[in-house]
């Protein structure tokens, strides 16, 4: 198996991640997303118009967050509301989950697959 094929199979964009936002143990929002690609990162960076990591993370969440049916949770017009009217720690929790999704377990699986070849 070629390296590109192995990476696509193990880390491809067909994977779906999920994060639950909870308040007092109750799930108030489920956020789903597919892994971030380099092309998406470049596109989101261009939309951010700055080197500000907070702006990138907010744009990432707006762009990538899906509901359980695969529909976008946020519209581009929600940016101002999210910035001004939602607790930053909640947004950061979602953004961090999106940025770190699958990194540890998936990397270990890929290393094992490479060794078994």
């Amino acid at each position: 198996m070629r390296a590109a094929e192995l990476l696509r199979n193990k880390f491809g964009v067909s994977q779906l991640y999920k994060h639950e936002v909870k308040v007092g143990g109750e799930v108030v929002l489920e956020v789903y997303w597919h892994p971030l690609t380099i092309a998406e990162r470049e596109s989101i960076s261009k939309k951010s118009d700055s080197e500000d990591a907070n702006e990138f993370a907010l744009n990432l969440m707006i762009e990538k967050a899906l509901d359980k049916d695969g529909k976008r949770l946020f519209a581009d017009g929600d940016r101002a509301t999210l910035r001004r009217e939602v607790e930053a720690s909640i947004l950061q929790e979602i953004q961090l989950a999106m940025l770190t999704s699958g990194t540890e377990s998936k990397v270990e699986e890929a290393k094992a697959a490479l060794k078994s070849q």
Side-chain angles (χ1 to χ4, degrees), residues 37-54:
T37 66
I38 290 174
E40 289 171 327
R41 182 182 313 213
E42 290 170 354
S43 173
I44 292 168
S45 291
K46 287 178 184 175
K47 287 180 183 178
S48 297
D49 283 338
S50 75
E51 296 296 317
D52 183 3
N54 291 322

Side-chain angles (χ1 to χ4, degrees), residues 22-111:
K22 297 180 181 179
V23 175
E26 178 186 342
V27 177
V28 294
L29 179 66
E30 292 180 336
V31 181
Y32 298 84
W33 66 94
H34 296 284
L36 180 67
T37 66
I38 290 174
E40 289 171 327
R41 182 182 313 213
E42 290 170 354
S43 173
I44 292 168
S45 291
K46 287 178 184 175
K47 287 180 183 178
S48 297
D49 283 338
S50 75
E51 296 296 317
D52 183 3
N54 291 322
E55 187 69 21
F56 175 83
L58 181 62
N59 287 335
L60 167 73
M61 185 184 78
I62 290 169
E63 191 80 24
K64 300 280 294 173
L66 306 170
D67 66 13
K68 66 181 179 180
D69 298 320
K71 295 180 183 156
R72 282 183 66 187
L73 281 176
F74 305 107
D76 291 338
D78 292 334
R79 181 175 287 101
T81 300
L82 292 170
R83 289 177 59 88
R84 295 184 190 127
E85 300 178 28
V86 179
E87 191 176 319
S89 64
I90 298 299
L91 298 178
Q92 290 168 345
E93 174 187 325
I94 297 167
Q95 294 160 359
L96 183 62
M98 294 177 89
L99 287 167
T100 61
S101 57
T103 51
E104 212 35 57
S105 63
K106 297 294 181 185
V107 168
E108 292 307 315
E109 289 173 17
K111 285 179 184 175

